[in-house]
């Protein structure tokens, strides 16, 4: 028979109960013991704070590095722009064409890809400080095509032949010659006003000069003539005058003239092959023979000497030489003179036509005044030329619309 075990009450009496002091110590130890996982939480939070602080420091360091690099790059571009301005002024003083390959070699060096950025900064500096700008000259082929048909007529001709209209990028690429010059951006009215003589200023200059004791020497008289800009002290005044006359003769002859005809016109003006053109003090020569002067104008880009029948040089416009010149062994008849790309961008056909028109009208007025004095009465029955009429006559002789500076 199974033995009966102790009852529930008996088992409860056998289990030893903790004393009151033990229960208090256990409760205290439990209260002092941190909850599970509570100690790891602050440590992990501190680690996260340290990591986030490191990330912020790295971000600030990267931002400072980027700012320093951008500043260094901007300073380098500014320095290159200043070098380009200095180089352009030096070349312009000698009237030498500024080629892009020379800019890359002498200014940009190995950083030729920054040409556009450097050019933009140099343009701002030139306009703000010197009142000038760098202008890219047009290519000869584009200029010849533009002279044949201009404006809307050119687009109509393209439409008639089925030639599509080119984009601005394609046109700029075709027109550009990668050759530059410096050109003034001052308004012509400002230049004209600056060249106007002020009587009070002129009297003060005369008085100051007389106080120096040099009033007996006419060569030492003041040459500014009471104005800000004096054409009497400009560089190569006589040479520039001859250049404008040559450009006017070529323009009025249909934008081209053979060598013999040009020299015949110059001979009528007293400029034979033995005559010399006076130069300024900065030139290596005090004067140049007419042939050497024409060669200098070619190098400077003011005029072109094109061989007849050379379709490559003339942009495909010229064919074979005329019959009168084919059998002539004289080489001078085998060339034609044209405007150079610098004249189109620096002077312009309209300015030359205006110059000729004003000169012709003023000369006719002087002749009429002399006739009035000799006859004692006004010359009647003669129509006086107006600048507008002379301008239109030059435009018709040139064979088309006259262009402004390009």
């Amino acid at each position: 028979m199974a033995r009966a075990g102790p009852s529930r009450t008996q088992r409860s009496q056998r289990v030893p109960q903790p004393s009151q002091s033990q229960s208090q110590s256990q409760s205290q130890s439990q209260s002092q013991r941190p909850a599970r996982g509570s100690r790891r939480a602050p440590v992990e939070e501190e680690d996260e704070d340290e990591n986030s602080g490191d990330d912020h420091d790295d971000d600030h360091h990267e931002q400072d590095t980027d700012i320093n690099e951008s500043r260094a790059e901007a300073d380098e571009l500014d320095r290159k722009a200043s070098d380009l301005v200095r180089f352009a002024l030096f070349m312009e003083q000698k009237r030498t064409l500024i080629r892009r390959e020379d800019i890359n070699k002498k200014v940009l060096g190995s950083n030729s890809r920054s040409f556009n950025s450097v050019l933009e900064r140099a343009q701002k500096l030139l306009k703000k400080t010197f009142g000038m700008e760098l202008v890219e000259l047009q290519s000869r082929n584009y200029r010849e095509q533009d002279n044949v048909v201009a404006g809307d007529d050119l687009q109509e001709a393209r439409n008639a032949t089925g030639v599509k209209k080119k984009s601005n990028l394609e046109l700029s690429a075709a027109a550009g010659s990668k050759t530059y010059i410096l050109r003034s951006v001052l308004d012509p009215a400002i230049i004209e006003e600056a060249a106007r003589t002020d009587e009070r200023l002129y009297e003060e200059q005369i008085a100051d000069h007389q106080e120096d004791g040099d009033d007996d020497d006419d060569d030492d008289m003041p040459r500014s003539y009471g104005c800000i800009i004096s054409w009497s002290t400009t560089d190569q005044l006589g040479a520039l005058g001859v250049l404008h006359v040559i450009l006017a003769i070529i323009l009025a002859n249909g934008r081209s003239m053979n060598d013999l005809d040009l020299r015949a016109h110059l001979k009528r003006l007293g400029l034979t092959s033995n005559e010399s053109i006076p130069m300024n003090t900065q030139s290596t020569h005090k004067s140049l023979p007419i042939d050497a002067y024409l060669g200098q104008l070619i190098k400077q880009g003011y005029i072109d000497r094109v061989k007849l029948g050379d379709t490559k040089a003339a942009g495909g416009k010229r064919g074979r030489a005329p019959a009168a010149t084919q059998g002539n062994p004289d080489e001078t008849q085998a060339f034609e003179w044209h405007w150079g790309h610098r004249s189109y961008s620096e002077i312009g056909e309209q300015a030359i036509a205006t110059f000729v028109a004003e000169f012709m009208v003023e000369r006719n007025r002087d002749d009429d005044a002399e006739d009035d004095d000799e006859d004692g009465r006004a010359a009647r029955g003669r129509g006086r030329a107006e600048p507008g009429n002379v301008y239109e006559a030059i435009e018709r002789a040139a064979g088309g619309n006259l262009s402004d500076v390009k």
Side-chain angles (χ1 to χ4, degrees), residues 375-387:
D375 299 341
R377 54 186 175 82
R380 298 178 181 178
R382 292 182 301 177
R384 295 188 175 183
E386 297 295 333

Side-chain angles (χ1 to χ4, degrees), residues 35-47:
R36 187 176 183 180
S38 62
R39 186 173 182 178
R40 296 180 179 177
V43 175
E44 293 177 355
E45 292 177 357
E46 292 177 0
D47 294 340

Side-chain angles (χ1 to χ4, degrees), residues 1-295:
M1 184 173 182
R3 188 175 183 178
S7 62
R8 184 177 298 179
T9 57
Q10 292 175 352
R11 289 197 301 267
S12 62
Q13 289 177 359
R14 291 179 182 178
V15 176
Q17 299 293 331
S19 63
Q20 184 176 0
S21 61
Q22 291 177 349
S23 62
Q24 291 177 354
S25 62
Q26 291 177 359
S27 61
Q28 290 177 0
S29 62
Q30 292 177 358
S31 62
Q32 292 176 358
R33 184 181 300 171
R36 187 176 183 180
S38 62
R39 186 173 182 178
R40 296 180 179 177
V43 175
E44 293 177 355
E45 292 177 357
E46 292 177 0
D47 294 340
E48 292 178 357
D49 294 338
E50 292 177 358
N51 294 333
S52 62
D54 295 339
D55 293 339
H56 288 304
D57 293 339
D58 293 339
D59 293 339
H60 287 302
H61 180 69
E62 292 178 358
Q63 292 177 358
D64 294 339
T65 303
D66 294 339
I67 292 174
N68 293 333
E69 290 179 356
S70 61
R71 288 178 179 176
E73 184 179 357
D75 294 340
E76 180 67 15
L77 291 177
D78 291 337
R79 187 180 67 82
K80 292 294 185 182
S82 300
D83 293 342
L84 177 56
V85 170
R86 188 180 301 108
F87 176 70
L89 292 174
F90 174 77
M91 299 293 284
E92 179 61 23
Q93 186 178 9
K94 301 187 299 181
R95 290 293 192 272
T96 304
L97 298 177
I98 306 170
R99 305 186 186 280
R100 180 167 178 174
E101 58 183 8
D102 294 334
I103 296 177
N104 293 334
K105 181 179 179 181
K106 300 180 180 180
V107 177
L108 300 180
S110 60
N111 194 15
S112 59
R113 294 185 178 181
S114 61
F115 175 82
N116 293 332
S117 300
V118 173
L119 178 62
E120 182 180 359
R121 292 170 183 260
Q123 294 283 39
K124 293 180 180 179
L125 184 59
L126 283 168
K127 293 179 181 179
K128 182 179 180 180
T129 307
F130 301 99
M132 307 183 77
E133 65 177 351
L134 277 168
V135 180
E136 184 176 8
L137 303 179
Q138 289 184 345
S139 63
R140 179 180 296 173
N141 292 342
Y142 184 86
R143 188 178 68 245
E144 291 287 344
Q145 182 182 8
D146 193 28
N147 284 340
V148 175
V149 187
D152 296 335
D153 296 336
L154 177 59
Q155 186 57 37
E156 292 179 359
R158 288 174 176 172
N159 294 336
T161 56
V163 178
K164 296 182 179 180
K165 183 178 180 180
K166 296 184 179 180
S167 62
N168 294 332
L169 183 61
E170 293 174 339
L171 290 175
S172 61
S177 61
K178 296 184 179 181
T179 306
Y180 299 83
I181 62 169
L182 274 181
R183 185 175 67 187
S184 174
V185 296
L186 297 178
D187 192 284
I190 297 177
I191 299 178
E192 183 177 358
E193 188 64 25
R196 195 183 303 277
T197 300
D198 185 89
E199 295 182 0
R200 184 178 61 180
L201 180 59
Y202 178 68
E203 293 176 358
E204 292 179 357
Q205 291 175 347
I206 293 293
D208 294 340
H209 187 75
Q210 291 176 351
E211 290 178 359
D212 296 336
D214 297 332
D215 53 335
D216 295 335
D217 192 355
D218 294 338
D219 295 337
D220 294 334
M221 291 296 289
R223 301 181 64 188
S224 58
Y225 297 102
C227 54
I228 300 175
I229 299 177
S230 178
W231 301 118
S232 61
T233 58
T234 187
D235 55 337
Q236 302 179 7
L237 181 63
L240 289 177
V242 175
L243 168 62
H244 280 64
V245 171
I246 292 175
L247 294 178
I249 293 174
I250 296 175
L251 179 64
N253 197 66
R255 294 190 173 98
S256 65
M257 176 174 286
N258 64 59
D259 189 74
L260 286 181
D261 290 343
L262 177 62
R263 295 182 182 277
H265 281 83
L266 294 178
K267 186 176 181 180
R268 294 190 188 98
L269 297 174
L271 296 175
T272 61
S273 58
N274 297 327
E275 295 293 331
S276 298
I277 307 298
M279 311 300 290
N280 65 343
T281 56
Q282 297 178 354
S283 178
T284 56
H285 304 281
K286 293 183 178 180
S287 61
L288 287 177
I290 186 65
D291 291 336
Y293 177 65
L294 292 175

Side-chain angles (χ1 to χ4, degrees), residues 259-260 305 324-335:
D259 189 74
L260 286 181
R305 190 185 185 199
T325 63
Q326 290 180 7
N328 196 330
D330 191 358
E331 184 179 281
T332 57
Q333 288 190 358
F335 290 90

